[in-house]
Amino acid sequence: MSAKLKKSLLLLLSALLLVGVSQVQRSLNVDRDKLGFTRVAPLENAPPVLAFTTVALGGFRGIISNILWMRATDLQENDKFFEMAQLAQWITQLEPHFVQVWLVQAWNMAYNISVKFKDWPDRWRWVKGGVELLRDEGLRYNPNEMLIYRELGWIFQHKMGQNLDDASLYYKQMWADEMAVVFAKKAPNLDELLHPQTPDQFQRLNLLTNKYKMDPKLMKEADDLYGPLEWRLPESSAIYWAHLGLRAAKERPAKVNKEDLITLHRVIYQSMQMSFKRGALIPNALEKNFDFGPNLDIIPRVNDAYVQAAEEEVQMRDNIHNAHRNFLRDAVYYLYLHDRMKDAQKWFEYLSKEYPNKPLVDGKPDSLPKTLTLDQFCVARAIENTKSFMGKDEAEAFIEGQLRTSFIRIIEDRDAEAKATERLMEQFHAYHQSQVPKERAGPIGLRPFKDLQRQALNSLLDPEKGLRPEPRAILRSKLGLPAETAPARNTNSAPQKVTSR
Amino acid sequence: MPAVLTALDNARTAAPNPGAETVISVRGLTKVFKDFWGRPKARAVDGVEFEVRRGEVFGLLGPNGSGKSTTVKLLLGLLYPTKGHIEVFGHSPRHVATKARIGYLPEESYLYRYLNSRETLDFFGNLFELRKDQRNTRAEQLLDMVGLNQTRTRAVGEFSKGMQRRIGLAQALINDPDLVILDEPTSGLDPIGCREVKDLILALARRGKTVILSSHLLSDVEDVCDRVVIYYGGKIQAMGPLKELLAKPDAIRITTPALPRETMERVLALIKHDVSEDKVRVDTPTQNLESYFLDVVQRARLAAEQTSGATSGAKVAAYLRGDELAKPSGDRILERLAAPQPSAPILSTPTAAPEPTIDEQKLQSLSAPQPAPAPQSSTPAKTQDPVELEKANEKLASLLKPKGD
Amino acid sequence: MQRLLAIAWLTWKAALRFRLFIVVAALLLLSVIGLPLLLKDDGTARGFTQILLTYTLSTITGLLGLSTLWLSCGTLARDIEDCQMQVVAVKPVARWQIWLGKWLGIMSLNAVLLALSGISVYGLLLWRANKLPPGEQAILRNEVLVARGSAKERSYDKEIQDETSRRLRERLEKNPISTADFKEVEKQIREQVKADLQVVPPGYSRPWQIELGIAKNWLHARPLQVRLKFNAADRSTSGTFYGIVRVGVPQKTKLYQSDTLSLAPDTFHEIPIPPDLYDDQGILTVTFLNPNNTALLFTLDEGMEVLYPEGGFGLNFARGIGVIFCWMGLLAAIGLAAATFLSFPVAAFFAMGILVLVSSSNLLASTIEEGGLGNYNAEKGGHTNTPVDWLVIPVFKGALNLINLAKEFSPIDNLSTGRSIPWSQLGRAFAQVVLLLGGIFALGGVFIFSRRELATAQGTH
């Protein structure tokens, strides 16, 4: 073949190929846009070095990031974690717009690496690392990416909020400490951060926006929609970030996957549930820390969330209804325990209306709503975990134990709960007595309620076996009892009454 | 097979012992360069045979590409022969210990460009395992000799071509070698340098060293060599003592100081009895251009003109002359004071073409009827075949004529 | 000897004149100083030290390795190409002496550079360590800036073998098996016996008798660390299992019991224990209690060991640098060997190729594990076989064995986790890497160099 003929044939071939490529180009463009590859603009908000390298490295970024990722996997298999933070940063910085990279790296740090350490502070460091990666870096470069918000919310709700990790209590404690600084160690007050007056408030506002990247306006929004929320707990942050995720999703509906949207909603629902179950921080003056208690003000919103979820997720409707029913039962019981009788009654009726055909008490198929009163339901609920029928000693022990708790609640300034517990125990006492046949009332009947209550009180006030001196004094003063006489230290004092526990 | 032209006494005053040991012996040497696939590419040396005796100055002549440098490299073990056998001091060229007795000046400067002259000599001195004081002394003397003592600290890479040749020469001699192989030693040198090199070669030969010289500067070869070998196409075309090769046996030359006219005529008349007039030539011998040039330069030197770059060497290094450690310094000073020393730096007396002294024997052999073979054990020249000689002469003449080759 | 030194000196001159030495030294210092500023740590002083050690030592190894290859290829190949070698070769110096002299020159250069950078890194670490609060300093000095040796239980091979034989005999008496299956059955029985030793059933505890040997003489009042790793048959919901570690023997030694620890499986955990818990014979008894519902498995070689301070960090660091020095020796030999018959650019390329091959030994290892070059087919659950497998696998295996001779020493790993690099390991590194592997390349290189006709190179003027 002569050179000239060869040349002209090659030219023809190249022309054909060009034409072919131009046909494919259009669909290529569509794909590129969908996958987010068409970022030509330099990185916004990036430090100059990073912006320079991402532009300068060009197509090599993918290769380098792959190599680094392989190294990271290698190291992780060999338990060498000290490089992981650095590698995660490099990998994400090389491909800052590739969302999966952010998600996987953060999840890896928060879940996989953290659990490899046995000390709680080490684990917390890695969970926090995952959070910071997404919150401080990922959102900086991808402020409208719903998946990042979802992942962030998930870490707060699932890793920190739930109890799967042995260190979860530590996480909650650490997070609460950090938030306590923002809210000046009292119950969170969003208004003073929205309209700061004093320098201290300005400073705290700064801390909130700059370090924790949270906007009080949006927090208020979330509070109104899903709250009221205890902002010192992780599930509140979960709701905050998920809320932001929903906003981002609304702005770019085309990019949002239906599945992802559902998981986003789930973050919110589950966080709300968590908040309901134990979303109130109750200061414990005795122990100088916090106890977790249910957040009762959130009940209406949670209810709405269940209703909405049932509408949205058609396949899961039965499960959702189940969960709804359980929630309502819990709501009624907690309200009762906190002496909010009116609300308890209201929701009890609502529960009966919504699920008339489902038993109220597990294991008792005939406990349908219309057969039980509120009191009966709560009593049944209280002894749900104990044996179906308790003997005299067990029942007395149970009542006494609960009454002791009620007295301790008095010390802790939780009077409503104390009163409710007392009432509940009275109900139980009456119920138990009613179950005992008349002829056996003597041997197996319970002692009078007041006796049991006095016994509980005495056991707490016992100088040797009861509470410490300070709580004893508080209890005495709260109940209007005279102060203790100075205890006799010599052994000539009368032997103490042995209380049954 | 080329004509076996054997060695005769050469014209130098200190005639070496012809029965001396054979320093180099080459038999049937062939070198074929192969290409990557093993196919023969070029036959650089073909069936070469010669011997070099101790104390000789042996010349390799030939046009470019005739195989001279290849032969030299084969002698040094830088190339391996395809066929044939080489012996250097009785060992193979690759034998490491004999290399201590060899000095080599390659045709291009292959020195380390980033060393300076002192470091170069020091390095090579170390390779010969010379002691430190020995290295230092010899280096000093060599640098003096080649005239590079002003440029100690400049890297060799910055030298001019002539300076590089000089330092190359210096490293070739640092170990006081018994065999010196010089490949184009005078290329790139000015006439003064050329003269010095030639003097050096002669000095070495006087001391009994063997020198092998490869060159295509014929005048230089003519000045110093005892025996030459002429290459062409990888084969030896002519070999033998220079005198014999160049001799025109059918003519003689008699040089006398200026004669008065009538003596001249009487002499001519005498000659005319045996030889026809048209075969006789009378003229005044001319001075060699080289010697004239050196004269001029010497005079200029005396007038203290400055030159830059290489100065010409003071004298041949003492250890090369053989009196390195022979006399304590005090005596040497005495010697210098006592003996007549030329004050001018140019020591080597400008020699014209070697003055042919009356060689009685030669005279006899030429004029007298053929006597019995000479008592010397070297093979007599009389057994030469005149036809071969004729052929050799023709070949030489054709070589020397400029050819469009 | 004088000749070797002369040629070594020549190599130095070349490196210095061509400013290679200065540039590499500058880069080394720059990396030692600059890296700590650039690196992000994991928040602890200990993590920071580890990442610093890893990256600086890796950079040093990489930089020096590359420059060693470059220099070794260049110094020989260039000399041959530029014909300077001809002038040297006609001197009374054997070819092997030339080769060795150049190698010595390169290695002495490396020694100086390594020493310089090693001292800088060491100094930097100590300086930073001193600026920390005392609590963190203590952790650092106990677990990172220290050389810790490892003590394990004695080997149970004999017992395993005896028990295996016994069970095998029993089995044979019951039903005889053919010789083909014999090996298989024996293997299974052996695995079974091993498993019995390795498993800690739920609710049980297993004691390990760890012999400290002569180390007990200097471990008085020094805290030690227990290092354990276990696997679990089932997964737990939280991803971790509980465990309690008890050290010491009642009435014989002091006792220590840890809290209930939350431990992830398949990970190494280091648990610090107080000093002086071993008895007079130097035996430390470590007991692990398994309060979970699943059995946990502690392998015989990695399950349980005790780390004790064996030496100072400084000397250990020096030994680590020594291993790196041995690697450089091998690289120099490879470069010089390549340069004996290749031109400079090709030799450099060839040597880099070998480096790339070595660094992709992971790929080789995984190919051998998977049994073939084919891709993983998730449906069938295996790997597709390619027709070249029968050739590729043995070749890869051979190559991997060779590579592992050099790569099995990991000074950077050891130094960053505070593990000791004993003199014996350094000696072995020298023997395997320099003498064996380097020697192979040296022999090849010298052989080729001796055979080579030096005058066939054309001068490049």
Side-chain angles (χ1 to χ4, degrees):
Chain A
M1 206 186 296
S2 73
K4 212 166 174 201
L5 183 59
K6 235 202 264 188
K7 248 193 231 172
S8 35
L9 274 180
L10 284 173
L11 270 175
L12 186 62
L13 183 63
S14 53
L16 277 173
L17 287 173
L18 275 174
V19 167
V21 161
S22 66
Q23 304 300 339
V24 183
Q25 186 67 42
R26 210 166 301 128
S27 60
L28 267 181
N29 280 345
V30 170
D31 276 342
R32 280 157 94 194
D33 201 35
K34 196 149 59 109
L35 291 168
F37 288 152
T38 52
R39 310 277 183 150
V40 184
L43 227 45
E44 296 130 33
N45 304 328
V49 173
L50 178 60
F52 173 73
T53 44
T54 48
V55 169
L57 286 176
F60 286 114
R61 293 204 322 258
I63 299 178
I64 297 178
S65 137
N66 274 347
I67 294 175
L68 287 177
W69 200 309
M70 287 198 284
R71 178 174 172 82
T73 316
D74 225 6
L75 288 173
Q76 192 156 332
E77 274 172 33
N78 292 328
D79 296 340
K80 295 203 171 38
F81 302 114
F82 45 85
E83 277 189 63
M84 297 306 284
Q86 175 66 80
L87 284 174
Q89 187 188 45
W90 280 338
I91 293 172
T92 49
Q93 282 177 352
L94 280 172
E95 297 275 28
H97 290 305
F98 193 7
V99 176
Q100 286 300 325
V101 169
W102 292 103
L103 300 180
V104 171
Q105 287 300 325
W107 165 82
N108 194 37
M109 285 163 75
Y111 278 83
N112 295 345
I113 299 182
S114 69
V115 93
K116 300 267 194 178
F117 290 85
K118 63 181 190 330
D119 296 322
W120 298 165
D122 289 327
R123 288 196 188 176
W124 171 236
R125 205 157 22 87
W126 285 100
V127 172
K128 213 155 70 117
V131 165
E132 283 166 0
L133 187 70
L134 287 176
R135 183 187 68 197
D136 302 339
E137 310 278 333
L139 285 178
R140 181 152 74 140
Y141 303 123
N142 304 290
N144 295 321
E145 191 54 67
M146 179 201 81
L147 288 174
I148 296 187
Y149 289 110
R150 187 200 66 178
E151 192 69 28
L152 196 48
W154 179 256
I155 295 181
F156 273 106
Q157 175 233 317
H158 186 252
K159 186 70 178 173
M160 288 164 55
Q162 289 192 7
N163 294 331
L164 288 178
D165 192 334
D166 294 325
S168 60
L169 203 57
Y170 184 80
Y171 303 153
K172 294 188 190 55
Q173 190 67 51
M174 291 279 101
W175 181 252
D177 288 342
E178 292 199 23
M179 287 286 109
V181 175
V182 173
F183 296 113
K185 296 196 180 5
K186 17 191 238 306
N189 183 346
L190 284 178
D191 290 315
E192 69 180 13
L193 291 178
L194 275 171
H195 309 287
Q197 313 277 346
T198 69
D200 169 63
Q201 288 169 355
F202 273 111
Q203 205 176 20
R204 288 190 284 123
L205 176 63
N206 262 342
L207 186 63
L208 183 65
T209 40
N210 291 338
K211 183 164 176 207
Y212 297 102
K213 310 276 194 282
M214 292 167 87
D215 183 354
K217 269 204 289 299
L218 294 169
M219 287 164 82
K220 190 104 177 100
E221 224 177 77
D223 221 22
D224 292 335
L225 275 176
Y226 308 107
L229 299 170
E230 170 55 76
W231 287 100
R232 287 172 291 184
L233 287 177
E235 56 266 14
S236 315
S237 295
I239 292 178
Y240 174 81
W241 293 113
H243 175 62
L244 258 61
L246 280 176
R247 282 172 51 133
K250 270 199 210 71
E251 296 199 11
R252 297 203 310 202
K255 280 223 169 180
V256 170
N257 200 332
K258 192 157 171 296
E259 294 293 323
D260 297 329
L261 208 52
I262 290 181
T263 46
L264 197 59
H265 280 297
R266 267 202 213 131
V267 170
I268 297 183
Y269 300 152
Q270 287 173 359
S271 304
M272 288 169 74
Q273 268 178 43
M274 232 187 278
S275 181
F276 157 67
K277 282 231 178 97
R278 50 139 198 77
L281 279 181
I282 305 165
N284 185 337
L286 276 179
E287 308 282 325
K288 304 267 188 292
N289 61 9
F290 288 98
D291 287 330
F292 296 107
N295 179 357
L296 298 172
D297 302 318
I298 207 179
I299 290 178
R301 297 259 159 65
V302 180
N303 187 55
D304 292 340
Y306 271 113
V307 170
Q308 193 176 7
E311 279 174 35
E312 281 176 0
E313 298 188 43
V314 182
Q315 304 101 312
M316 306 276 290
R317 195 162 281 172
D318 286 332
N319 291 15
I320 295 177
H321 281 314
N322 243 354
H324 189 204
R325 197 171 61 86
N326 287 337
F327 156 69
L328 288 172
R329 294 195 303 153
D330 287 338
V332 170
Y333 186 54
Y334 292 152
L335 285 169
Y336 189 93
L337 279 182
H338 282 75
D339 200 33
R340 287 165 60 158
M341 296 305 163
K342 270 215 292 289
D343 290 328
Q345 187 62 39
K346 181 180 96 180
W347 286 101
F348 188 65
E349 282 162 17
Y350 179 80
L351 168 60
S352 315
K353 197 158 53 85
E354 291 291 314
Y355 299 99
N357 299 323
K358 294 275 171 95
L360 282 176
V361 182
D362 289 334
K364 288 211 167 74
D366 52 348
S367 57
L368 294 176
K370 50 184 184 292
T371 61
L372 289 180
T373 66
L374 175 63
D375 288 321
Q376 284 171 329
F377 165 64
C378 290
V379 166
R381 186 61 197 270
I383 58 169
E384 209 172 43
N385 292 332
T386 61
K387 277 175 19 193
S388 52
F389 185 77
M390 289 193 258
K392 168 185 157 109
D393 290 331
E394 287 160 333
E396 286 185 353
F398 179 69
I399 293 174
E400 213 187 307
Q402 292 290 321
L403 287 174
R404 265 203 289 276
T405 309
S406 82
F407 282 121
I408 291 179
R409 292 283 174 263
I410 293 180
I411 299 177
E412 293 172 351
D413 276 335
R414 289 151 82 167
D415 293 341
E417 292 178 60
K419 182 159 164 234
T421 307
E422 194 188 340
R423 174 188 167 141
L424 185 63
M425 283 302 106
E426 262 191 280
Q427 298 284 330
F428 173 61
H429 188 268
Y431 164 74
H432 193 274
Q433 293 293 70
S434 71
Q435 298 292 324
V436 171
K438 282 233 177 36
E439 58 274 13
R440 308 273 300 156
I444 57 174
L446 300 174
R447 280 183 291 151
F449 182 73
K450 288 284 180 229
D451 282 354
L452 293 170
Q453 197 171 27
R454 203 181 331 118
Q455 187 166 307
L457 181 60
N458 282 341
S459 75
L460 287 177
L461 291 178
D462 187 322
E464 304 230 333
K465 297 211 169 81
L467 298 169
R468 295 195 310 277
E470 195 193 318
R472 290 204 310 267
I474 297 175
L475 186 56
R476 278 178 182 272
S477 69
K478 285 267 171 79
L479 290 177
L481 298 173
E484 266 176 30
T485 51
R489 285 268 182 173
N490 42 10
T491 50
N492 284 341
S493 57
Q496 304 295 331
K497 193 151 145 202
V498 176
T499 57
S500 59
R501 290 216 171 227
Chain B
M1 283 293 290
V4 178
L5 305 172
T6 53
L8 259 191
D9 308 313
N10 56 32
R12 288 185 290 114
T13 46
N17 184 355
E21 55 177 300
T22 310
V23 168
I24 291 188
S25 152
V26 175
R27 294 198 206 306
L29 183 65
T30 307
K31 175 70 187 163
V32 179
F33 283 109
K34 302 205 165 73
D35 65 5
F36 182 70
W37 306 105
R39 292 179 303 197
K41 206 168 51 169
R43 189 173 272 256
V45 176
D46 195 359
V48 162
E49 281 201 10
F50 60 83
E51 275 184 6
V52 179
R53 300 246 162 82
R54 196 163 80 83
E56 280 190 318
V57 179
F58 191 81
L60 296 167
L61 288 180
N64 295 336
S66 53
K68 315 189 295 293
S69 291
T70 312
T71 306
V72 163
K73 289 177 181 159
L74 284 164
L75 288 177
L76 289 164
L78 294 174
L79 290 173
Y80 307 137
T82 318
K83 269 195 285 212
H85 186 69
I86 304 181
E87 267 189 21
V88 177
F89 286 114
H91 295 276
S92 141
R94 291 163 69 175
H95 184 248
V96 172
T98 45
K99 302 221 195 232
R101 300 166 71 180
I102 304 179
Y104 171 52
L105 172 66
E107 55 184 325
E108 308 264 4
S109 167
Y110 294 148
L111 298 172
Y112 286 103
R113 302 231 265 283
Y114 43 84
L115 300 178
N116 63 32
S117 39
R118 200 64 171 78
E119 287 169 344
T120 306
L121 292 180
D122 214 34
F123 170 63
F124 287 115
N126 267 321
L127 288 185
F128 285 110
E129 300 210 324
L130 299 177
R131 288 191 320 271
K132 191 165 169 64
D133 53 337
Q134 243 185 345
R135 286 202 312 269
N136 285 341
T137 334
R138 290 195 187 182
E140 286 299 328
Q141 291 178 358
L142 282 171
L143 286 178
D144 249 0
M145 177 180 90
V146 299
L148 285 177
N149 44 8
Q150 307 298 326
T151 61
R152 263 161 227 278
T153 51
R154 276 167 67 192
V156 166
E158 298 172 22
F159 282 3
S160 69
K161 174 149 195 235
M163 288 160 74
Q164 285 184 350
R165 300 301 285 151
R166 286 160 195 265
I167 186 71
L169 191 59
Q171 65 81 23
L173 299 170
I174 185 142
N175 58 327
D176 197 15
D178 293 331
L179 170 64
V180 184
I181 303 184
L182 306 170
D183 205 342
E184 313 280 354
T186 53
S187 89
L189 292 180
D190 63 3
I192 305 173
C194 277
R195 188 66 253 166
E196 286 167 3
V197 169
K198 288 191 278 195
D199 288 339
L200 174 63
I201 295 175
L202 291 174
L204 290 172
R206 266 200 298 276
R207 268 194 69 203
K209 313 255 189 216
T210 316
V211 179
I212 298 186
L213 183 58
S214 161
S215 180
H216 54 247
L217 292 176
L218 300 171
S219 52
D220 293 338
V221 171
E222 198 174 347
D223 287 345
V224 297
C225 283
D226 300 332
R227 289 171 63 224
V228 296
V229 104
I230 298 173
Y231 274 80
Y232 184 74
K235 298 196 174 63
I236 292 191
Q237 307 296 341
M239 180 162 78
L242 203 50
K243 275 239 114 36
E244 282 193 13
L245 293 178
L246 296 182
K248 283 182 167 171
D250 54 349
I252 56 167
R253 177 165 45 180
I254 304 171
T255 311
T256 70
L259 290 175
R261 200 184 156 71
E262 40 176 76
T263 324
M264 184 89 124
E265 281 174 8
R266 266 191 281 139
V267 170
L268 281 175
L270 211 57
I271 294 174
K272 274 198 220 143
H273 283 179
D274 290 317
V275 177
S276 61
E277 185 153 0
D278 56 348
K279 291 204 182 138
V280 178
R281 256 183 54 198
V282 179
D283 55 25
T284 52
T286 49
Q287 192 186 28
N288 181 295
L289 177 59
E290 184 189 41
S291 47
Y292 181 68
F293 176 87
L294 290 171
D295 262 343
V296 169
V297 169
Q298 187 174 3
R299 272 183 262 129
R301 274 252 179 84
L302 289 176
E305 303 256 345
Q306 300 284 354
T307 71
S308 69
T311 55
S312 75
K315 48 204 292 189
V316 174
Y319 75 94
L320 290 175
R321 278 178 302 136
D323 53 15
E324 179 180 27
L325 292 169
K327 299 163 193 152
S329 53
D331 283 345
R332 264 187 260 139
I333 293 177
L334 206 60
E335 195 188 52
R336 200 187 302 158
L337 289 174
Q341 292 277 351
S343 56
I346 304 173
L347 170 67
S348 46
T349 50
T351 54
E355 301 273 3
T357 54
I358 309 287
D359 188 337
E360 292 295 340
Q361 265 185 336
K362 190 91 192 262
L363 204 55
Q364 268 183 10
S365 64
L366 286 175
S367 45
Q370 310 289 352
Q376 306 275 335
S377 56
S378 59
T379 50
K382 308 302 171 292
T383 54
Q384 276 172 17
D385 190 353
V387 176
E388 296 262 26
L389 207 59
E390 212 38 63
K391 247 196 270 178
N393 278 343
E394 267 175 31
K395 281 214 179 119
L396 190 61
S398 67
L399 277 174
L400 295 176
K401 262 191 269 179
K403 254 169 41 169
D405 199 321
Chain C
M1 194 57 206
Q2 194 178 356
R3 300 181 182 125
L4 290 182
L5 289 178
I7 297 182
W9 169 88
L10 187 71
T11 316
W12 267 84
K13 269 305 237 221
L16 283 175
R17 284 298 168 99
F18 291 128
R19 296 180 246 298
L20 179 69
F21 183 79
I22 315 274
V23 167
V24 174
L27 275 177
L28 283 176
L29 272 179
L30 209 69
S31 65
V32 166
I33 298 175
L35 273 178
L37 302 170
L38 291 177
L39 287 177
K40 180 178 150 112
D41 54 30
D42 68 347
T44 55
R46 171 206 184 133
F48 180 77
T49 312
Q50 288 176 319
I51 200 176
L52 187 68
L53 266 176
T54 306
Y55 275 73
T56 44
L57 287 180
S58 305
T59 312
I60 289 174
T61 309
L63 269 179
L64 272 186
L66 276 178
S67 65
T68 300
L69 269 181
W70 190 260
L71 186 60
S72 58
C73 287
T75 178
L76 192 55
R78 278 239 185 89
D79 278 2
I80 297 179
E81 280 171 28
D82 292 347
C83 302
Q84 275 115 355
M85 191 49 67
Q86 291 183 24
V87 181
V88 173
V90 301
K91 305 290 184 267
V93 53
R95 301 280 170 97
W96 68 265
Q97 284 173 329
I98 299 178
W99 202 96
L100 190 61
K102 290 206 181 281
W103 189 85
L104 282 176
I106 296 173
M107 289 315 289
S108 50
L109 205 59
N110 270 335
V112 169
L113 288 174
L114 260 182
L116 271 179
S117 40
I119 291 176
S120 313
V121 171
Y122 185 68
L124 185 74
L125 270 180
L126 284 187
W127 177 72
R128 281 197 86 107
N130 280 333
K131 294 190 1 183
L132 293 171
E136 299 208 32
Q137 267 195 46
I139 299 180
L140 217 56
R141 282 186 204 284
N142 280 336
E143 296 187 24
V144 181
L145 293 182
V146 74
R148 294 182 298 174
S150 157
K152 296 195 183 135
E153 239 185 352
R154 65 179 177 80
S155 158
Y156 284 111
D157 284 342
K158 186 168 174 313
E159 282 83 352
I160 293 176
Q161 189 55 46
D162 290 342
E163 181 65 18
T164 309
S165 313
R166 192 185 67 80
R167 288 198 199 179
L168 197 58
R169 266 199 308 271
E170 280 180 12
R171 180 79 178 274
L172 281 176
E173 280 162 20
K174 290 204 199 115
N175 32 1
I177 26 180
S178 68
T179 41
D181 297 329
F182 187 81
K183 280 248 169 286
E184 218 17 70
V185 171
E186 191 188 6
K187 199 163 92 132
Q188 282 176 4
I189 294 183
R190 179 172 285 122
E191 292 302 314
Q192 185 73 42
V193 172
K194 270 168 67 169
D196 289 343
L197 271 178
Q198 293 175 131
V199 165
V200 183
Y204 281 75
S205 67
R206 202 272 219 209
W208 278 265
Q209 313 274 44
I210 312 249
E211 293 169 35
L212 293 173
I214 49 168
K216 71 176 184 343
N217 297 324
W218 67 75
L219 287 179
H220 180 62
R222 307 290 299 273
L224 309 176
Q225 292 90 33
V226 166
R227 186 171 191 249
L228 56 85
K229 176 163 117 162
F230 60 85
N231 302 325
D234 308 317
R235 294 178 42 118
S236 80
T237 44
S238 63
T240 53
F241 293 94
Y242 295 112
I244 301 177
V245 172
R246 204 186 282 155
V247 184
V249 178
Q251 267 123 38
K252 277 181 72 176
T253 66
K254 293 195 267 194
L255 289 181
Y256 165 78
Q257 177 156 319
S258 70
D259 301 328
T260 306
L261 303 168
S262 165
L263 304 168
D266 209 20
T267 319
F268 282 107
H269 298 281
E270 283 187 22
I271 302 162
I273 56 178
D276 297 322
L277 295 173
Y278 50 87
D279 65 14
D280 304 318
Q281 271 95 17
I283 298 185
L284 195 67
T285 308
V286 181
T287 313
F288 182 87
L289 288 86
N290 180 5
N292 305 292
N293 292 331
T294 11
L296 302 176
L297 188 124
F298 290 79
T299 57
L300 286 174
D301 52 346
E302 283 187 326
M304 176 74 70
E305 58 184 329
V306 169
L307 301 176
Y308 59 92
E310 201 174 42
F313 179 65
L315 203 55
N316 205 32
F317 187 75
R319 289 195 291 259
I321 300 274
V323 175
I324 298 181
F325 187 66
C326 294
W327 283 344
M328 294 301 125
L330 177 59
L331 285 180
I334 294 178
L336 283 175
T340 53
F341 64 99
L342 296 168
S343 71
F344 171 46
V346 179
F349 190 72
F350 173 79
M352 302 286 183
I354 292 193
L355 258 192
V356 168
L357 182 71
V358 166
S359 60
S360 58
S361 61
N362 288 336
L363 179 64
L364 291 179
S366 55
T367 310
I368 293 176
E369 244 181 65
E370 294 164 7
L373 280 177
N375 293 324
Y376 186 70
N377 188 335
E379 289 171 3
K380 300 199 208 121
H383 290 267
T384 56
N385 285 330
T386 62
V388 243
D389 281 344
W390 61 271
L391 174 63
V392 159
I393 297 295
V395 166
F396 276 12
K397 269 209 192 120
L400 197 61
N401 283 340
L402 264 183
I403 292 175
N404 275 343
L405 278 180
K407 257 189 123 174
E408 65 175 279
F409 309 99
S410 49
I412 300 178
D413 259 352
N414 280 352
L415 283 175
S416 61
T417 50
R419 301 296 296 269
S420 143
I421 305 172
W423 287 110
S424 60
Q425 197 182 55
L426 180 61
R428 221 155 50 84
F430 184 75
Q432 272 179 226
V433 175
V434 177
L435 294 181
L436 180 59
L437 285 177
I440 292 176
F441 280 101
L443 282 176
V446 167
F447 180 74
I448 297 177
F449 192 39
S450 307
R451 293 262 161 282
R452 189 166 174 179
E453 295 186 316
L454 291 173
T456 48
Q458 300 309 312
T460 52
H461 281 269

